Amino acid sequence: GAVVSQHPSWVICKSGTSVKIECRSLDFQATTMFWYRQFPKQSLMLMATSNEGSKATYEQGVEKDKFLINHASLTLSTLTVTSAHPEDSSFYICSASGLAGGPTDEQFFGPGTRLTVL
Amino acid sequence: DAKTTQPTSMDCAEGRAANLPCNHSTISGNEYVYWYRQIHSQGPQYIIHGLKNNETNEMASLIITEDRKSSTLILPHATLRDTAVYYCIVRVKNAGNMLTFGGGTRLMVKP
């Protein structure tokens, strides 16, 4: 159990376009979802935390108008990279956790989405 | 959350035990020790966590020193598929708490 999926697994887009990445918890209700970014040979950096039905909390230095996060349901969160540029090329990873005290209150990670902006 | 210190890289022979150390000298009393690993181009995978007692599951064992200032993750019989970056993270156990990833240890299991 506790499976998190991401779609797409990889995407290539032109500079200036927007890209949407989906993160789904397949077998549990995710009250909190996290979005991370990972550049080559670096560690994961948290971008934002979102709770279902409320606005995301962004980490310092992450532009909320560029990285739009929607957590409209307990099983789906989306990250939209607006007006993508080559420097946004990265590996984007989501994680999800369920109800505190329950079997899914730890973080479970998706497989990641590799974004390449040309 | 307390910071952790891990060696940058380690090698291990296939079939032998891999012992990955982690220092967390500023850990607070309510912080747990978590271990995740990330195989190349995949999302992190949870391995194990503990508070102060040693823990074991089907993947690994976690040994936490009595003063809780350091811990060791043990993979009892390493395989080539255990080659990955292993992250030691300390955090308060709460569903809403983020994970802060450090540099981790790059474990290379060699035949």
PDB file of all heavy atoms in Angstrom, chain A residues 74-113:
ATOM      1  N   LEU A  74      -8.137  14.923  -2.007  1.00  0.00           N
ATOM      2  CA  LEU A  74      -7.273  14.162  -1.101  1.00  0.00           C
ATOM      3  C   LEU A  74      -6.401  13.144  -1.820  1.00  0.00           C
ATOM      4  O   LEU A  74      -5.622  12.439  -1.189  1.00  0.00           O
ATOM      5  CB  LEU A  74      -8.117  13.460  -0.032  1.00  0.00           C
ATOM      6  CG  LEU A  74      -8.666  14.377   1.052  1.00  0.00           C
ATOM      7  CD1 LEU A  74      -9.644  13.616   1.942  1.00  0.00           C
ATOM      8  CD2 LEU A  74      -7.536  14.942   1.912  1.00  0.00           C
ATOM      9  N   THR A  75      -6.539  13.068  -3.135  1.00  0.00           N
ATOM     10  CA  THR A  75      -5.712  12.126  -3.867  1.00  0.00           C
ATOM     11  C   THR A  75      -4.933  12.767  -5.005  1.00  0.00           C
ATOM     12  O   THR A  75      -4.196  12.081  -5.714  1.00  0.00           O
ATOM     13  CB  THR A  75      -6.551  10.974  -4.453  1.00  0.00           C
ATOM     14  OG1 THR A  75      -7.546  11.527  -5.318  1.00  0.00           O
ATOM     15  CG2 THR A  75      -7.230  10.167  -3.352  1.00  0.00           C
ATOM     16  N   LEU A  76      -5.071  14.059  -5.192  1.00  0.00           N
ATOM     17  CA  LEU A  76      -4.420  14.691  -6.343  1.00  0.00           C
ATOM     18  C   LEU A  76      -3.872  16.068  -6.005  1.00  0.00           C
ATOM     19  O   LEU A  76      -4.557  16.899  -5.428  1.00  0.00           O
ATOM     20  CB  LEU A  76      -5.418  14.819  -7.504  1.00  0.00           C
ATOM     21  CG  LEU A  76      -4.945  15.614  -8.730  1.00  0.00           C
ATOM     22  CD1 LEU A  76      -3.791  14.898  -9.413  1.00  0.00           C
ATOM     23  CD2 LEU A  76      -6.100  15.810  -9.704  1.00  0.00           C
ATOM     24  N   SER A  77      -2.619  16.268  -6.372  1.00  0.00           N
ATOM     25  CA  SER A  77      -2.015  17.593  -6.337  1.00  0.00           C
ATOM     26  C   SER A  77      -1.335  17.827  -7.679  1.00  0.00           C
ATOM     27  O   SER A  77      -0.806  16.890  -8.281  1.00  0.00           O
ATOM     28  CB  SER A  77      -0.987  17.700  -5.202  1.00  0.00           C
ATOM     29  OG  SER A  77      -0.323  18.960  -5.229  1.00  0.00           O
ATOM     30  N   THR A  78      -1.381  19.070  -8.137  1.00  0.00           N
ATOM     31  CA  THR A  78      -0.717  19.377  -9.400  1.00  0.00           C
ATOM     32  C   THR A  78       0.263  20.525  -9.215  1.00  0.00           C
ATOM     33  O   THR A  78       0.034  21.434  -8.407  1.00  0.00           O
ATOM     34  CB  THR A  78      -1.730  19.759 -10.498  1.00  0.00           C
ATOM     35  OG1 THR A  78      -2.468  20.907 -10.073  1.00  0.00           O
ATOM     36  CG2 THR A  78      -2.677  18.616 -10.794  1.00  0.00           C
ATOM     37  N   LEU A  79       1.350  20.435  -9.934  1.00  0.00           N
ATOM     38  CA  LEU A  79       2.363  21.497  -9.987  1.00  0.00           C
ATOM     39  C   LEU A  79       2.424  21.970 -11.428  1.00  0.00           C
ATOM     40  O   LEU A  79       2.675  21.160 -12.332  1.00  0.00           O
ATOM     41  CB  LEU A  79       3.722  20.964  -9.548  1.00  0.00           C
ATOM     42  CG  LEU A  79       4.934  21.875  -9.828  1.00  0.00           C
ATOM     43  CD1 LEU A  79       4.873  23.129  -8.962  1.00  0.00           C
ATOM     44  CD2 LEU A  79       6.252  21.122  -9.551  1.00  0.00           C
ATOM     45  N   THR A  80       2.178  23.252 -11.627  1.00  0.00           N
ATOM     46  CA  THR A  80       2.277  23.819 -12.971  1.00  0.00           C
ATOM     47  C   THR A  80       3.462  24.774 -13.015  1.00  0.00           C
ATOM     48  O   THR A  80       3.507  25.736 -12.234  1.00  0.00           O
ATOM     49  CB  THR A  80       0.991  24.569 -13.359  1.00  0.00           C
ATOM     50  OG1 THR A  80      -0.118  23.668 -13.310  1.00  0.00           O
ATOM     51  CG2 THR A  80       1.118  25.134 -14.768  1.00  0.00           C
ATOM     52  N   VAL A  81       4.385  24.479 -13.894  1.00  0.00           N
ATOM     53  CA  VAL A  81       5.530  25.363 -14.108  1.00  0.00           C
ATOM     54  C   VAL A  81       5.134  26.308 -15.233  1.00  0.00           C
ATOM     55  O   VAL A  81       4.967  25.876 -16.389  1.00  0.00           O
ATOM     56  CB  VAL A  81       6.795  24.573 -14.487  1.00  0.00           C
ATOM     57  CG1 VAL A  81       7.992  25.520 -14.631  1.00  0.00           C
ATOM     58  CG2 VAL A  81       7.090  23.492 -13.450  1.00  0.00           C
ATOM     59  N   THR A  82       4.929  27.554 -14.913  1.00  0.00           N
ATOM     60  CA  THR A  82       4.457  28.504 -15.903  1.00  0.00           C
ATOM     61  C   THR A  82       5.641  29.191 -16.589  1.00  0.00           C
ATOM     62  O   THR A  82       6.677  29.426 -15.972  1.00  0.00           O
ATOM     63  CB  THR A  82       3.564  29.571 -15.259  1.00  0.00           C
ATOM     64  OG1 THR A  82       4.335  30.291 -14.297  1.00  0.00           O
ATOM     65  CG2 THR A  82       2.367  28.946 -14.573  1.00  0.00           C
ATOM     66  N   SER A  83       5.461  29.456 -17.896  1.00  0.00           N
ATOM     67  CA  SER A  83       6.509  30.112 -18.670  1.00  0.00           C
ATOM     68  C   SER A  83       7.885  29.505 -18.355  1.00  0.00           C
ATOM     69  O   SER A  83       8.795  30.183 -17.873  1.00  0.00           O
ATOM     70  CB  SER A  83       6.526  31.613 -18.374  1.00  0.00           C
ATOM     71  OG  SER A  83       7.424  32.267 -19.242  1.00  0.00           O
ATOM     72  N   ALA A  84       7.975  28.223 -18.632  1.00  0.00           N
ATOM     73  CA  ALA A  84       9.198  27.498 -18.281  1.00  0.00           C
ATOM     74  C   ALA A  84      10.405  27.992 -19.074  1.00  0.00           C
ATOM     75  O   ALA A  84      10.287  28.358 -20.248  1.00  0.00           O
ATOM     76  CB  ALA A  84       8.993  26.004 -18.522  1.00  0.00           C
ATOM     77  N   HIS A  85      11.537  27.987 -18.407  1.00  0.00           N
ATOM     78  CA  HIS A  85      12.799  28.368 -19.045  1.00  0.00           C
ATOM     79  C   HIS A  85      13.821  27.264 -18.814  1.00  0.00           C
ATOM     80  O   HIS A  85      13.645  26.417 -17.924  1.00  0.00           O
ATOM     81  CB  HIS A  85      13.285  29.706 -18.485  1.00  0.00           C
ATOM     82  CG  HIS A  85      12.437  30.855 -18.902  1.00  0.00           C
ATOM     83  ND1 HIS A  85      12.466  31.369 -20.174  1.00  0.00           N
ATOM     84  CD2 HIS A  85      11.509  31.574 -18.208  1.00  0.00           C
ATOM     85  CE1 HIS A  85      11.602  32.367 -20.257  1.00  0.00           C
ATOM     86  NE2 HIS A  85      11.009  32.506 -19.093  1.00  0.00           N
ATOM     87  N   PRO A  86      14.898  27.246 -19.566  1.00  0.00           N
ATOM     88  CA  PRO A  86      15.883  26.165 -19.425  1.00  0.00           C
ATOM     89  C   PRO A  86      16.375  25.958 -17.993  1.00  0.00           C
ATOM     90  O   PRO A  86      16.646  24.826 -17.597  1.00  0.00           O
ATOM     91  CB  PRO A  86      17.016  26.615 -20.354  1.00  0.00           C
ATOM     92  CG  PRO A  86      16.323  27.368 -21.439  1.00  0.00           C
ATOM     93  CD  PRO A  86      15.204  28.104 -20.729  1.00  0.00           C
ATOM     94  N   GLU A  87      16.458  27.012 -17.217  1.00  0.00           N
ATOM     95  CA  GLU A  87      16.928  26.866 -15.832  1.00  0.00           C
ATOM     96  C   GLU A  87      15.917  26.140 -14.943  1.00  0.00           C
ATOM     97  O   GLU A  87      16.245  25.770 -13.801  1.00  0.00           O
ATOM     98  CB  GLU A  87      17.277  28.232 -15.213  1.00  0.00           C
ATOM     99  CG  GLU A  87      16.156  29.226 -15.229  1.00  0.00           C
ATOM    100  CD  GLU A  87      16.209  30.153 -16.427  1.00  0.00           C
ATOM    101  OE1 GLU A  87      16.695  29.729 -17.500  1.00  0.00           O
ATOM    102  OE2 GLU A  87      15.760  31.309 -16.277  1.00  0.00           O
ATOM    103  N   ASP A  88      14.698  25.958 -15.428  1.00  0.00           N
ATOM    104  CA  ASP A  88      13.692  25.181 -14.688  1.00  0.00           C
ATOM    105  C   ASP A  88      13.832  23.691 -14.941  1.00  0.00           C
ATOM    106  O   ASP A  88      13.130  22.881 -14.311  1.00  0.00           O
ATOM    107  CB  ASP A  88      12.275  25.626 -15.069  1.00  0.00           C
ATOM    108  CG  ASP A  88      12.020  27.081 -14.739  1.00  0.00           C
ATOM    109  OD1 ASP A  88      12.503  27.543 -13.684  1.00  0.00           O
ATOM    110  OD2 ASP A  88      11.348  27.768 -15.536  1.00  0.00           O
ATOM    111  N   SER A  89      14.687  23.324 -15.857  1.00  0.00           N
ATOM    112  CA  SER A  89      14.924  21.903 -16.136  1.00  0.00           C
ATOM    113  C   SER A  89      15.431  21.238 -14.863  1.00  0.00           C
ATOM    114  O   SER A  89      16.420  21.674 -14.273  1.00  0.00           O
ATOM    115  CB  SER A  89      15.949  21.738 -17.255  1.00  0.00           C
ATOM    116  OG  SER A  89      15.477  22.301 -18.462  1.00  0.00           O
ATOM    117  N   SER A  90      14.744  20.201 -14.450  1.00  0.00           N
ATOM    118  CA  SER A  90      15.091  19.572 -13.179  1.00  0.00           C
ATOM    119  C   SER A  90      14.279  18.292 -13.028  1.00  0.00           C
ATOM    120  O   SER A  90      13.462  17.945 -13.881  1.00  0.00           O
ATOM    121  CB  SER A  90      14.781  20.526 -12.013  1.00  0.00           C
ATOM    122  OG  SER A  90      15.273  20.014 -10.792  1.00  0.00           O
ATOM    123  N   PHE A  91      14.502  17.606 -11.930  1.00  0.00           N
ATOM    124  CA  PHE A  91      13.742  16.424 -11.561  1.00  0.00           C
ATOM    125  C   PHE A  91      12.784  16.858 -10.453  1.00  0.00           C
ATOM    126  O   PHE A  91      13.214  17.310  -9.394  1.00  0.00           O
ATOM    127  CB  PHE A  91      14.717  15.346 -11.059  1.00  0.00           C
ATOM    128  CG  PHE A  91      14.142  13.966 -10.918  1.00  0.00           C
ATOM    129  CD1 PHE A  91      13.385  13.397 -11.920  1.00  0.00           C
ATOM    130  CD2 PHE A  91      14.374  13.211  -9.773  1.00  0.00           C
ATOM    131  CE1 PHE A  91      12.878  12.101 -11.802  1.00  0.00           C
ATOM    132  CE2 PHE A  91      13.875  11.913  -9.633  1.00  0.00           C
ATOM    133  CZ  PHE A  91      13.120  11.369 -10.653  1.00  0.00           C
ATOM    134  N   TYR A  92      11.493  16.766 -10.710  1.00  0.00           N
ATOM    135  CA  TYR A  92      10.480  17.208  -9.753  1.00  0.00           C
ATOM    136  C   TYR A  92       9.846  15.980  -9.106  1.00  0.00           C
ATOM    137  O   TYR A  92       9.389  15.073  -9.797  1.00  0.00           O
ATOM    138  CB  TYR A  92       9.411  18.064 -10.445  1.00  0.00           C
ATOM    139  CG  TYR A  92       9.950  19.403 -10.913  1.00  0.00           C
ATOM    140  CD1 TYR A  92      10.570  19.521 -12.156  1.00  0.00           C
ATOM    141  CD2 TYR A  92       9.869  20.529 -10.102  1.00  0.00           C
ATOM    142  CE1 TYR A  92      11.084  20.736 -12.589  1.00  0.00           C
ATOM    143  CE2 TYR A  92      10.381  21.749 -10.516  1.00  0.00           C
ATOM    144  CZ  TYR A  92      10.997  21.845 -11.750  1.00  0.00           C
ATOM    145  OH  TYR A  92      11.510  23.049 -12.159  1.00  0.00           O
ATOM    146  N   ILE A  93       9.842  15.990  -7.786  1.00  0.00           N
ATOM    147  CA  ILE A  93       9.364  14.824  -7.036  1.00  0.00           C
ATOM    148  C   ILE A  93       8.302  15.270  -6.044  1.00  0.00           C
ATOM    149  O   ILE A  93       8.487  16.271  -5.349  1.00  0.00           O
ATOM    150  CB  ILE A  93      10.521  14.151  -6.259  1.00  0.00           C
ATOM    151  CG1 ILE A  93      11.674  13.827  -7.194  1.00  0.00           C
ATOM    152  CG2 ILE A  93      10.038  12.897  -5.543  1.00  0.00           C
ATOM    153  CD1 ILE A  93      12.957  13.459  -6.462  1.00  0.00           C
ATOM    154  N   CYS A  94       7.222  14.531  -5.976  1.00  0.00           N
ATOM    155  CA  CYS A  94       6.206  14.833  -4.970  1.00  0.00           C
ATOM    156  C   CYS A  94       6.211  13.746  -3.900  1.00  0.00           C
ATOM    157  O   CYS A  94       6.701  12.635  -4.120  1.00  0.00           O
ATOM    158  CB  CYS A  94       4.830  14.954  -5.583  1.00  0.00           C
ATOM    159  SG  CYS A  94       4.106  13.382  -6.091  1.00  0.00           S
ATOM    160  N   SER A  95       5.710  14.096  -2.747  1.00  0.00           N
ATOM    161  CA  SER A  95       5.478  13.091  -1.712  1.00  0.00           C
ATOM    162  C   SER A  95       4.145  13.395  -1.054  1.00  0.00           C
ATOM    163  O   SER A  95       3.628  14.512  -1.164  1.00  0.00           O
ATOM    164  CB  SER A  95       6.602  13.081  -0.665  1.00  0.00           C
ATOM    165  OG  SER A  95       6.573  14.250   0.115  1.00  0.00           O
ATOM    166  N   ALA A  96       3.590  12.388  -0.420  1.00  0.00           N
ATOM    167  CA  ALA A  96       2.282  12.544   0.185  1.00  0.00           C
ATOM    168  C   ALA A  96       2.248  11.848   1.531  1.00  0.00           C
ATOM    169  O   ALA A  96       2.908  10.828   1.737  1.00  0.00           O
ATOM    170  CB  ALA A  96       1.206  11.951  -0.737  1.00  0.00           C
ATOM    171  N   SER A  97       1.478  12.404   2.431  1.00  0.00           N
ATOM    172  CA  SER A  97       1.281  11.750   3.716  1.00  0.00           C
ATOM    173  C   SER A  97      -0.190  11.850   4.103  1.00  0.00           C
ATOM    174  O   SER A  97      -0.900  12.761   3.670  1.00  0.00           O
ATOM    175  CB  SER A  97       2.165  12.362   4.799  1.00  0.00           C
ATOM    176  OG  SER A  97       1.849  13.731   4.993  1.00  0.00           O
ATOM    177  N   GLY A  98      -0.619  10.877   4.910  1.00  0.00           N
ATOM    178  CA  GLY A  98      -2.025  10.800   5.260  1.00  0.00           C
ATOM    179  C   GLY A  98      -2.313  11.324   6.650  1.00  0.00           C
ATOM    180  O   GLY A  98      -1.606  12.158   7.180  1.00  0.00           O
ATOM    181  N   LEU A  99      -3.353  10.781   7.233  1.00  0.00           N
ATOM    182  CA  LEU A  99      -3.813  11.258   8.526  1.00  0.00           C
ATOM    183  C   LEU A  99      -2.795  10.974   9.615  1.00  0.00           C
ATOM    184  O   LEU A  99      -2.211   9.882   9.678  1.00  0.00           O
ATOM    185  CB  LEU A  99      -5.141  10.588   8.877  1.00  0.00           C
ATOM    186  CG  LEU A  99      -6.328  10.951   7.963  1.00  0.00           C
ATOM    187  CD1 LEU A  99      -7.537  10.102   8.315  1.00  0.00           C
ATOM    188  CD2 LEU A  99      -6.654  12.423   8.090  1.00  0.00           C
ATOM    189  N   ALA A 100      -2.573  11.958  10.488  1.00  0.00           N
ATOM    190  CA  ALA A 100      -1.628  11.790  11.594  1.00  0.00           C
ATOM    191  C   ALA A 100      -2.070  10.633  12.488  1.00  0.00           C
ATOM    192  O   ALA A 100      -3.255  10.499  12.811  1.00  0.00           O
ATOM    193  CB  ALA A 100      -1.548  13.073  12.409  1.00  0.00           C
ATOM    194  N   GLY A 101      -1.096   9.796  12.845  1.00  0.00           N
ATOM    195  CA  GLY A 101      -1.399   8.654  13.703  1.00  0.00           C
ATOM    196  C   GLY A 101      -1.880   7.443  12.945  1.00  0.00           C
ATOM    197  O   GLY A 101      -1.986   6.361  13.512  1.00  0.00           O
ATOM    198  N   GLY A 102      -2.170   7.612  11.659  1.00  0.00           N
ATOM    199  CA  GLY A 102      -2.649   6.502  10.865  1.00  0.00           C
ATOM    200  C   GLY A 102      -1.517   5.779  10.167  1.00  0.00           C
ATOM    201  O   GLY A 102      -0.360   6.189  10.268  1.00  0.00           O
ATOM    202  N   PRO A 103      -1.841   4.733   9.427  1.00  0.00           N
ATOM    203  CA  PRO A 103      -0.802   3.941   8.762  1.00  0.00           C
ATOM    204  C   PRO A 103      -0.068   4.684   7.658  1.00  0.00           C
ATOM    205  O   PRO A 103       0.985   4.222   7.206  1.00  0.00           O
ATOM    206  CB  PRO A 103      -1.585   2.743   8.203  1.00  0.00           C
ATOM    207  CG  PRO A 103      -2.988   3.231   8.077  1.00  0.00           C
ATOM    208  CD  PRO A 103      -3.184   4.188   9.212  1.00  0.00           C
ATOM    209  N   THR A 104      -0.602   5.815   7.216  1.00  0.00           N
ATOM    210  CA  THR A 104       0.057   6.534   6.117  1.00  0.00           C
ATOM    211  C   THR A 104       0.539   7.904   6.556  1.00  0.00           C
ATOM    212  O   THR A 104       0.622   8.831   5.759  1.00  0.00           O
ATOM    213  CB  THR A 104      -0.886   6.674   4.919  1.00  0.00           C
ATOM    214  OG1 THR A 104      -2.088   7.325   5.351  1.00  0.00           O
ATOM    215  CG2 THR A 104      -1.224   5.326   4.317  1.00  0.00           C
ATOM    216  N   ASP A 105       0.867   8.084   7.824  1.00  0.00           N
ATOM    217  CA  ASP A 105       1.286   9.427   8.234  1.00  0.00           C
ATOM    218  C   ASP A 105       2.752   9.683   7.967  1.00  0.00           C
ATOM    219  O   ASP A 105       3.249  10.757   8.250  1.00  0.00           O
ATOM    220  CB  ASP A 105       0.920   9.713   9.706  1.00  0.00           C
ATOM    221  CG  ASP A 105       1.764   8.909  10.685  1.00  0.00           C
ATOM    222  OD1 ASP A 105       2.520   8.030  10.247  1.00  0.00           O
ATOM    223  OD2 ASP A 105       1.654   9.171  11.892  1.00  0.00           O
ATOM    224  N   GLU A 106       3.455   8.727   7.385  1.00  0.00           N
ATOM    225  CA  GLU A 106       4.813   8.984   6.918  1.00  0.00           C
ATOM    226  C   GLU A 106       4.727   9.506   5.486  1.00  0.00           C
ATOM    227  O   GLU A 106       3.690   9.448   4.850  1.00  0.00           O
ATOM    228  CB  GLU A 106       5.652   7.705   6.959  1.00  0.00           C
ATOM    229  CG  GLU A 106       5.810   7.113   8.346  1.00  0.00           C
ATOM    230  CD  GLU A 106       6.479   8.065   9.327  1.00  0.00           C
ATOM    231  OE1 GLU A 106       7.095   9.056   8.890  1.00  0.00           O
ATOM    232  OE2 GLU A 106       6.375   7.829  10.543  1.00  0.00           O
ATOM    233  N   GLN A 107       5.828  10.005   4.968  1.00  0.00           N
ATOM    234  CA  GLN A 107       5.838  10.517   3.603  1.00  0.00           C
ATOM    235  C   GLN A 107       6.178   9.407   2.620  1.00  0.00           C
ATOM    236  O   GLN A 107       7.135   8.659   2.825  1.00  0.00           O
ATOM    237  CB  GLN A 107       6.865  11.642   3.454  1.00  0.00           C
ATOM    238  CG  GLN A 107       6.398  12.968   4.006  1.00  0.00           C
ATOM    239  CD  GLN A 107       7.289  14.102   3.610  1.00  0.00           C
ATOM    240  OE1 GLN A 107       7.759  14.176   2.458  1.00  0.00           O
ATOM    241  NE2 GLN A 107       7.551  14.977   4.541  1.00  0.00           N
ATOM    242  N   PHE A 108       5.381   9.328   1.573  1.00  0.00           N
ATOM    243  CA  PHE A 108       5.615   8.361   0.504  1.00  0.00           C
ATOM    244  C   PHE A 108       5.854   9.140  -0.780  1.00  0.00           C
ATOM    245  O   PHE A 108       5.098  10.044  -1.110  1.00  0.00           O
ATOM    246  CB  PHE A 108       4.417   7.418   0.382  1.00  0.00           C
ATOM    247  CG  PHE A 108       4.172   6.621   1.639  1.00  0.00           C
ATOM    248  CD1 PHE A 108       3.314   7.097   2.612  1.00  0.00           C
ATOM    249  CD2 PHE A 108       4.830   5.430   1.858  1.00  0.00           C
ATOM    250  CE1 PHE A 108       3.099   6.385   3.791  1.00  0.00           C
ATOM    251  CE2 PHE A 108       4.620   4.703   3.024  1.00  0.00           C
ATOM    252  CZ  PHE A 108       3.760   5.192   3.998  1.00  0.00           C
ATOM    253  N   PHE A 109       6.893   8.780  -1.484  1.00  0.00           N
ATOM    254  CA  PHE A 109       7.338   9.554  -2.614  1.00  0.00           C
ATOM    255  C   PHE A 109       6.864   8.986  -3.947  1.00  0.00           C
ATOM    256  O   PHE A 109       6.755   7.768  -4.122  1.00  0.00           O
ATOM    257  CB  PHE A 109       8.871   9.636  -2.632  1.00  0.00           C
ATOM    258  CG  PHE A 109       9.420  10.551  -1.595  1.00  0.00           C
ATOM    259  CD1 PHE A 109       9.588  10.125  -0.286  1.00  0.00           C
ATOM    260  CD2 PHE A 109       9.754  11.859  -1.904  1.00  0.00           C
ATOM    261  CE1 PHE A 109      10.081  10.983   0.696  1.00  0.00           C
ATOM    262  CE2 PHE A 109      10.251  12.726  -0.942  1.00  0.00           C
ATOM    263  CZ  PHE A 109      10.410  12.290   0.351  1.00  0.00           C
ATOM    264  N   GLY A 110       6.614   9.901  -4.880  1.00  0.00           N
ATOM    265  CA  GLY A 110       6.358   9.504  -6.244  1.00  0.00           C
ATOM    266  C   GLY A 110       7.660   9.191  -6.963  1.00  0.00           C
ATOM    267  O   GLY A 110       8.743   9.435  -6.427  1.00  0.00           O
ATOM    268  N   PRO A 111       7.585   8.677  -8.179  1.00  0.00           N
ATOM    269  CA  PRO A 111       8.782   8.288  -8.927  1.00  0.00           C
ATOM    270  C   PRO A 111       9.522   9.455  -9.559  1.00  0.00           C
ATOM    271  O   PRO A 111      10.630   9.281 -10.057  1.00  0.00           O
ATOM    272  CB  PRO A 111       8.230   7.350 -10.004  1.00  0.00           C
ATOM    273  CG  PRO A 111       6.832   7.821 -10.198  1.00  0.00           C
ATOM    274  CD  PRO A 111       6.351   8.304  -8.863  1.00  0.00           C
ATOM    275  N   GLY A 112       8.913  10.638  -9.530  1.00  0.00           N
ATOM    276  CA  GLY A 112       9.591  11.805 -10.090  1.00  0.00           C
ATOM    277  C   GLY A 112       9.205  12.088 -11.535  1.00  0.00           C
ATOM    278  O   GLY A 112       8.769  11.197 -12.272  1.00  0.00           O
ATOM    279  N   THR A 113       9.356  13.349 -11.921  1.00  0.00           N
ATOM    280  CA  THR A 113       9.114  13.802 -13.301  1.00  0.00           C
ATOM    281  C   THR A 113      10.326  14.596 -13.750  1.00  0.00           C
ATOM    282  O   THR A 113      10.714  15.571 -13.104  1.00  0.00           O
ATOM    283  CB  THR A 113       7.863  14.702 -13.369  1.00  0.00           C
ATOM    284  OG1 THR A 113       6.702  13.958 -13.008  1.00  0.00           O
ATOM    285  CG2 THR A 113       7.701  15.270 -14.782  1.00  0.00           C
TER     286      THR A 113
END
